[in-house]
Amino acid sequence: MKHISRDDISKMEKIERLNLINSCTGYKSANLIATKSVDEKSNVAIFSSITHLGSDPALIGFILRPTTVPRDTYKNIRETGFFTVNHITVDMIAEAHHTSANYEAGISEFDKTKLEEEYKNDILIPFVKGSPVQLYCKYVNEYYIKENDTIHLIASIENLFFDGNLQHEDGWLQIDKGNVVALNGLDGYCLPKLVDRFQYARKDMPIKSFFRK
């Protein structure tokens, strides 16, 4: 196997280092976070750092890059307290990736891409039309990470919308049935497929598959 040390990494050209380190940890979630400013300007941006933090209460977290430059997503969330998380499908990847372009503050990516806003019930924050799994989230807390000047933002899931065909009887969502993509690094989009699903693991007991007899 090829070996690269920490010293080797530090000497790499920036783009090579970005590509290597962002891909070496494995597949990541691919989501669009949509927000709205207090003056009702919508914003949408792709994130690959959204993670499950707990189910009771239902919490998620994600990482925000340094706020030394304008970050509309962070600004809007702090001002309104709410945002939506929208899974990206294989048909959306080009437009979703476009949201990572460095537009000026205040410019809505909805206006620069073919992504469409969608509103549900009395929720004022937009969802992304066509996304098969959509979360409406409320800001809870944030933690500054001094090691790289980023922010870990914590939010609660207030409302959950999804294509009913994805759900199994026990509540589990089989998201590959919705053609939801994952990210390999910064710009590699993959279409995962379910291989198997296993029942709760207990010590000294054989592992049982939900699907295989």
Side-chain angles (χ1 to χ4, degrees):
M1 297 181 72
K2 187 172 183 178
H3 171 231
I4 296 176
S5 68
R6 179 176 178 176
D7 186 55
D8 295 330
I9 294 170
S10 68
K11 294 176 181 177
M12 282 182 177
E13 186 270 332
K14 179 181 177 180
I15 300 302
E16 181 184 7
R17 182 170 62 248
L18 281 172
N19 286 331
L20 176 63
I21 301 305
N22 274 280
S23 61
C24 73
T25 53
Y27 294 115
K28 296 176 287 187
S29 63
N31 292 283
L32 288 163
I33 291 182
T35 61
K36 181 172 278 191
S37 66
V38 291
D39 57 356
E40 299 191 345
K41 188 68 172 179
S42 298
N43 178 268
V44 63
I46 190 169
F47 280 79
S48 63
S49 61
I50 297 177
T51 54
H52 161 85
L53 295 181
S55 57
D56 188 17
L59 296 175
I60 63 167
F62 68 94
I63 300 297
L64 286 146
R65 291 181 292 172
T67 55
T68 50
V69 297
R71 303 287 182 194
D72 282 348
T73 297
Y74 179 64
K75 176 177 178 290
N76 292 348
I77 292 173
R78 290 310 315 266
E79 288 180 350
T80 68
F82 295 93
F83 62 96
T84 69
V85 174
N86 306 268
H87 285 21
I88 299 170
T89 68
V90 67
D91 296 328
M92 298 163 60
I93 56 177
E95 302 303 317
H97 189 72
H98 192 166
T99 67
S100 64
N102 189 25
Y103 285 109
E104 294 80 5
I107 298 294
S108 174
E109 290 80 7
F110 280 114
D111 295 334
K112 297 295 183 178
T113 69
K114 295 179 182 178
L115 298 172
E116 297 182 47
E117 299 178 47
E118 179 181 40
Y119 290 89
K120 299 177 184 290
N121 305 336
D122 58 351
I123 296 172
L124 301 178
I125 308 298
F127 295 85
V128 178
K129 187 175 182 179
S131 174
V133 181
Q134 303 168 323
L135 289 64
Y136 177 59
C137 300
K138 180 181 179 180
Y139 174 93
V140 173
N141 206 345
E142 65 182 60
Y143 297 91
Y144 174 67
I145 302 174
K146 66 180 181 179
E147 286 77 9
N148 62 351
D149 197 30
T150 57
I151 294 170
H152 191 196
L153 191 145
I154 313 300
S156 60
I157 300 175
E158 300 293 307
N159 288 279
L160 174 59
F161 303 90
F162 55 86
D163 181 344
N165 293 324
L166 306 182
Q167 191 174 39
H168 287 232
E169 290 184 359
D170 62 354
W172 180 66
L173 297 183
Q174 187 177 340
I175 59 175
D176 69 321
K177 291 172 67 176
N179 288 323
V180 172
V181 299
L183 268 166
N184 179 197
L186 292 169
D187 49 19
Y189 293 85
C190 308
L191 190 60
K193 289 296 180 183
L194 180 70
V195 174
D196 208 338
R197 184 184 179 211
F198 296 97
Q199 297 178 10
Y200 187 82
R202 301 182 185 279
K203 61 181 182 181
D204 300 323
M205 294 289 290
I207 295 296
K208 294 183 178 180
S209 167
F210 275 98
F211 304 123
R212 291 184 292 178
K213 301 295 184 181

